[in-house]
């Protein structure tokens, strides 16, 4: 494997009926990412269950309840590597707590694979998947038109899905959508090019994932550095060292840059950028580094370093899309802990503006109850200003979670509008 | 292509460092669970990088089953000295002596399951609120569902069906008195990534990982090392083979593979060509289809 290979994270959306587990199994199997002892275990289980041949879908089963009930309960992560890239799959279940799980898997993904059954075309569920992918701003969407073998590999069926999908996706904010006709069961256009669909000129799925341009998926323009912790070594050699440790959220920082520390507003210059014993000239997202400044300024966890000519706006009132993730519904005007980058504050949901019906994508201003899996536009007020950017422009400084203080549970995920 | 992108190893490293710093910021008394195996060695190396030029701000916690490879203990002690960090040892022998647990009987007896009690006692006794482990999601199917920040109730138990959602890079380590967290900074690494990283960073690892001559016995499809704890049945015989270990656990359950790989480069090549998962040689995972899940729910590593 080449040392400059990139890491691509993708999420798969679809239910068991769409052949999602079969697709992942096929991808792992044909890319030779499955080990012999895993294959043997699956062969045994397939036999016990009375399946003919190897049921590739069994590769994605994890927990005891999932194996017993034949369903996926929670997001599972799978890994495979090709000579071109390393891949992380966030395999999100189709049935239970669907929205919660897909939102979780989508939050870090470069790409989403949306499965459509060629026989049924675009259905409500497809729209739901595409909506969540656009809400979470997944940079690339691949619509896999599956089960082409069941429509005799006919181009018309594939074209129909494209037309249907484009009709409603024009209302969504998606940047890059591709379509691939596949048969996960038989392997057509998954890893290997299909012999049955010569009319399709594009690349198979794996090749698409291996070659799509992902370097621009992270914002490299607006330099933002949330401080995680301050490094003050006790040793003689580094007595005066005061390093601000964190991960570059977006943009690029260079030695000598004029920076402003927020919320205090003090300005200084970057003296050094360090990783371990190495000093760097620049750091870009998503690098973890330690930054030292020319001047002694009081900085602590939760503060943000930004370039002086490009800073986030401190805001105490934030409009956001909120996805509710917990069984307990939102309590009106209750206080929650809000976690945004390395910052933590108290927050209150001041107003629910509307709820989105994720099946029709219609806004429902009259329905303002926030329960599990609901997606709403809300107004939030915090005790102190947050240093936010719009989620559309910055997935790191535009996102936050809400934590219920009485249970310590993560109850909501938010995206700043 | 833009020059502003990280390769996969740099990205994994950056993610792990971020998580280690997040643990330090969110918890009062975190420790690194150190087994002497390559994964916990890599986590320790990452912790060194995450806090340099400060020292690693965590103690290392070792659950000592008494069934160790002597090489592992020597390696552990040398590492502690060179890093200048504190070592906490939880002793399974002590748990047995004080009647907290009872030793398993028979040829296949191990102290693997007994570690759970010792580990939880050590966590509670030392008021640890976060134990950092080298667990990876690619290791085992129950681990594939594990969070970076994984909650444990006041009995130390994991509830896989009721985990906190983890979105973006926002981690919620809030907990009540008596509960604790496990944190897994290298969740997204595969065995291959670990070896490529060890090679790239030139990280020192115990000699057991390299091919060497050793007295072994063929059991459960792997070479189990001879030791004072080994009980032979009539049909088994001790042989000398050139082997190495892919994972390190107790000397009683860790099976070796025949190999000539005596450098990290050769090991990385060998791992790349492997057709068996690394835990395939661990008899603790072979006890049942959900052996790992069952142990993890109780509080295992």
């Amino acid at each position: 494997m080449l040392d400059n290979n990139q890491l691509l994270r993708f999420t798969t959306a679809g239910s068991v009926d769409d052949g999602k587990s079969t697709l992942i199994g096929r991808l792992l199997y044909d890319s030779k990412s499955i080990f012999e002892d895993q294959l043997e275990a699956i062969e045994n289980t397939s036999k016990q269950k009375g399946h003919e041949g190897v049921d590739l879908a069994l590769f994605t089963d994890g927990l005891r309840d999932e194996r017993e009930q034949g369903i996926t309960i929670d997001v599972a992560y799978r890994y495979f590597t090709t000579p071109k890239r390393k891949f992380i799959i966030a395999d999100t279940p189709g049935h239970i707590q669907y929205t919660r799980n897909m939102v979780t898997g989508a939050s870090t993904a470069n790409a989403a694979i949306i499965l459509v059954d060629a026989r049924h075309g675009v259905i409500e569920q497809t729209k739901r998947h595409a909506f969540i992918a656009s809400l979470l701003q997944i940079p690339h969407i691949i619509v896999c038109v599956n089960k082409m073998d069941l429509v005799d590999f006919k181009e018309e069926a594939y074209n129909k899905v494209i037309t249907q999908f484009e009709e409603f996706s024009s209302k969504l904010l998606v940047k890059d959508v591709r379509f691939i006709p596949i048969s996960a069961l038989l392997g057509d256009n998954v890893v290997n090019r299909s012999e049955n669909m010569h009319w399709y000129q594009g690349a198979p799925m794996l090749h698409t994932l291996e070659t799509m341009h992902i370097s621009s998926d992270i914002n490299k323009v607006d330099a933002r550095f949330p401080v995680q912790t301050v490094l003050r070594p006790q040793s003689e050699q580094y007595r005066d060292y005061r390093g601000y440790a964190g991960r570059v959220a977006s943009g690029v920082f260079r030695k000598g840059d004029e920076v402003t520390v927020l919320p205090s507003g003090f300005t200084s210059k970057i003296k050094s950028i360090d990783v371990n014993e190495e000093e760097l000239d620049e750091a870009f997202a998503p690098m973890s580094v330690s930054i030292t400044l020319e001047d002694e300024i009081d900085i602590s966890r939760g503060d943000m370093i930004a370039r002086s000519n490009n800073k986030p706006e401190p805001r105490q009132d934030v409009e956001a899309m909120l996805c509710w993730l917990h069984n307990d519904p939102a309590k009106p005007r209750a206080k929650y802990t809000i976690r945004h980058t390395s910052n933590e504050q108290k927050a209150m949901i001041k107003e629910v503006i509307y709820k989105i019906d994720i099946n029709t994508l219609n806004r429902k201003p009259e329905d303002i109850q926030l329960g599990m899996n609901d997606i709403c536009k809300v107004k939030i007020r915090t005790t102190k200003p947050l240093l936010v950017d719009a989620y559309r422009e910055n997935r790191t400084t535009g996102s936050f979670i809400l934590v219920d203080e009485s249970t310590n549970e993560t109850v909501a995920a938010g995206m700043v509008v | 292509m833009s020059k502003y992108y990280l390769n996969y190893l740099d990205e994994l490293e950056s993610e792990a460092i971020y998580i280690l710093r997040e643990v330090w910021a969110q918890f009062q008394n975190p420790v690194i669970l150190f087994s002497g195996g390559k994964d916990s060695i890599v986590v320790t190396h990452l912790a060194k990088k995450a806090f340099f030029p400060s020292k690693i701000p965590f103690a290392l916690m070792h659950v000592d089953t008494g069934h160790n490879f002597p090489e592992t203990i020597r390696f552990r002690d040398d590492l502690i000295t060179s890093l200048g960090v504190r070592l906490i040892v939880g002793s399974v022998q002590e748990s047995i002596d004080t009647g907290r647990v009872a030793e398993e009987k028979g040829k296949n007896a191990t102290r693997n399951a007994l570690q759970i009690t010792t580990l939880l006692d050590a966590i509670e006794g030392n008021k640890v609120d976060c134990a950092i482990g080298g667990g990876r999601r690619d290791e085992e199917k129950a681990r594939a569902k594990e969070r970076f920040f994984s909650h444990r109730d006041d009995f130390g138990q994991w509830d896989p069906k009721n985990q906190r959602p983890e979105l973006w890079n926002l981690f919620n380590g809030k907990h009540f008195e008596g509960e604790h967290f496990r944190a897994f900074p290298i969740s997204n690494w595969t065995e291959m990534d670990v070896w490529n990283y060890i090679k790239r960073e030139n990280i020192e690892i115990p000699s057991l990982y390299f091919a060497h001559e050793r007295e072994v016995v063929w059991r459960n499809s792997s070479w189990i090392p001879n030791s004072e704890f080994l009980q032979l049945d009539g049909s088994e015989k001790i042989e000398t083979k050139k082997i190495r270990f892919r994972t390190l656990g107790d000397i009683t359950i860790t099976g070796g593979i025949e190999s000539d790989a005596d450098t990290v480069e050769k090991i990385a090549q060998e791992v790349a060509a492997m057709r068996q998962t690394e835990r395939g040689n661990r008899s603790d995972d072979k006890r049942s289809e959900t052996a790992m899940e069952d142990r993890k729910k109780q509080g295992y590593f």
Side-chain angles (χ1 to χ4, degrees), chain A residues 50-62:
Chain A
H51 296 308
E52 271 178 54
V54 182
D55 183 356
L56 291 176
L58 292 171
F59 283 119
T60 56
D61 282 347

Side-chain angles (χ1 to χ4, degrees), chain B residues 177-201:
Chain B
E177 187 78 32
E179 299 175 344
H180 75 278
F181 265 77
R182 302 288 170 86
F184 301 101
I186 60 167
S187 288
N188 277 333
W189 300 41
T190 61
E191 185 189 16
M192 199 63 236
D193 299 333
V194 168
W195 282 113
N196 283 332
Y197 189 69
I198 289 171
K199 188 170 77 178
R200 186 184 90 171
E201 301 282 299

Side-chain angles (χ1 to χ4, degrees), chain B residues 118-288:
Chain B
T118 310
L119 170 64
L120 293 178
D121 285 353
I123 285 173
E124 199 184 322
N126 291 282
K127 295 197 164 29
V128 169
D129 55 359
C130 183
I132 304 161
R136 309 189 322 263
R137 289 173 180 155
D138 83 316
E139 274 180 275
E140 208 281 334
K141 51 192 177 287
R143 288 206 160 146
K145 307 261 163 168
E146 186 64 89
R147 301 289 191 261
F148 283 102
F149 271 35
S150 186
H151 180 258
R152 295 293 182 273
D153 67 14
D154 45 1
F155 295 98
Q157 297 182 100
W158 182 53
D159 181 4
K161 281 197 287 177
N162 204 13
Q163 301 192 74
R164 292 181 187 174
E166 237 167 36
L167 299 105
W168 299 290
N169 298 309
L170 297 169
F171 299 104
N172 172 11
K174 287 189 183 296
H175 58 282
F176 294 108
E177 187 78 32
E179 299 175 344
H180 75 278
F181 265 77
R182 302 288 170 86
F184 301 101
I186 60 167
S187 288
N188 277 333
W189 300 41
T190 61
E191 185 189 16
M192 199 63 236
D193 299 333
V194 168
W195 282 113
N196 283 332
Y197 189 69
I198 289 171
K199 188 170 77 178
R200 186 184 90 171
E201 301 282 299
N202 220 347
I203 302 172
E204 209 182 316
I205 50 170
S207 56
L208 297 159
Y209 282 111
F210 301 104
H212 58 285
E213 300 262 334
R214 184 175 280 266
E215 286 189 353
V216 286
V217 59
W218 185 247
R219 181 183 289 179
N220 295 332
S221 323
S222 62
W223 294 106
I224 300 287
N226 187 18
S227 70
E228 55 181 307
F229 313 107
L230 188 72
Q231 301 176 33
L232 294 182
D233 70 16
S235 62
E236 292 175 327
K237 67 172 199 297
I238 303 279
E239 300 170 60
T240 300
K241 290 276 173 192
K242 191 162 189 191
I243 63 149
R244 63 173 209 86
F245 297 97
R246 270 179 96 184
T247 67
L248 290 184
D250 271 13
I251 199 164
T252 55
I253 54 165
T254 306
I257 51 166
E258 285 188 72
S259 167
D260 288 317
D262 53 7
T263 63
V264 174
E265 283 77 18
K266 285 184 196 166
I267 293 172
Q269 276 170 19
E270 191 184 271
V271 170
M274 287 284 185
R275 299 307 304 146
Q276 298 273 333
T277 58
E278 62 183 319
R279 296 194 75 93
N281 293 314
R282 289 283 284 263
S283 56
D284 44 336
D285 292 340
K286 289 186 178 168
R287 289 195 166 184
S288 87

Side-chain angles (χ1 to χ4, degrees), chain B residues 32-48:
Chain B
I32 294 176
L33 293 175
F34 187 82
S35 68
K38 65 182 187 313
D39 300 317
S40 59
I41 291 169
V42 163
V43 169
T44 308
H45 177 85
L46 288 161
K48 194 173 146 230

Side-chain angles (χ1 to χ4, degrees), chain A residues 313-320 333 338 345-351 353 378-389 400 416-417:
Chain A
E313 221 27 66
R315 280 164 63 185
Q316 230 170 319
D317 288 290
V318 174
E319 279 195 15
R333 301 195 73 83
I338 188 166
Q345 310 231 353
K346 302 278 180 273
M348 188 172 72
I349 304 170
K350 255 178 66 183
E351 188 189 337
I353 304 169
V378 297
K379 281 186 184 163
I380 285 183
R381 179 158 182 93
T382 58
T383 45
K384 281 183 195 156
L386 292 179
L387 303 160
V388 293
D389 293 290
F400 62 85
V416 176
V417 176

Side-chain angles (χ1 to χ4, degrees), chain A residues 66-233:
Chain A
E66 296 176 327
R67 302 180 87 79
E68 281 168 7
Q69 300 171 37
I71 53 163
T72 324
I73 292 166
D74 196 7
V75 188
Y77 296 89
R78 323 259 158 219
Y79 302 84
F80 72 102
T81 302
T82 70
K84 297 206 175 82
R85 264 184 187 158
K86 173 185 165 88
F87 295 96
I88 302 179
I89 312 175
D91 179 14
T92 57
H95 295 301
I96 302 174
Q97 298 177 349
Y98 177 73
T99 306
R100 166 185 148 134
N101 283 315
M102 185 174 168
V103 166
T104 302
S107 69
T108 51
N110 301 95
I113 291 188
I114 297 178
L115 274 165
V116 178
D117 187 323
R119 295 170 302 171
H120 308 312
V122 169
I123 55 173
E124 259 185 16
Q125 184 182 258
T126 318
K127 295 181 185 173
R128 211 153 68 204
H129 296 160
F131 170 66
I132 294 173
S134 80
L135 182 71
L136 272 290
Q137 287 289 294
I138 300 181
H140 314 277
I141 292 178
I142 303 175
V143 179
C144 283
V145 185
N146 192 22
K147 305 199 182 180
M148 287 301 292
D149 50 315
L150 299 182
V151 294
D152 298 326
F153 298 105
K154 289 242 168 59
E155 193 177 1
E156 293 76 47
Y158 168 72
N159 285 336
K160 202 173 119 202
V161 173
I162 297 181
T163 312
Q164 288 174 337
F165 191 91
E166 283 178 341
E167 224 169 66
F168 88 93
S169 71
S170 58
K171 285 179 270 179
L172 302 173
L173 200 72
V174 286
K175 293 167 198 147
D176 172 24
V177 185
R178 303 153 198 236
F179 298 87
I180 305 175
I182 65 165
S183 165
L185 188 70
L186 304 177
D188 292 70
N189 283 338
V190 178
V191 172
N192 302 312
R193 177 167 290 282
S194 171
E195 289 300 316
N196 299 306
M197 292 179 276
H198 292 293
W199 47 264
Y200 173 71
Q201 303 297 315
M205 191 178 114
L206 182 61
H207 186 262
T208 305
L209 288 169
E210 282 180 327
T211 52
M212 61 172 40
H213 176 73
I214 55 169
S215 303
S216 312
D217 289 359
I218 302 181
N219 178 328
K220 298 278 164 58
V221 178
D222 308 307
R224 306 279 186 265
F225 187 79
V227 175
Q228 275 185 288
T229 184
V230 183
L231 302 176
R232 304 212 57 181

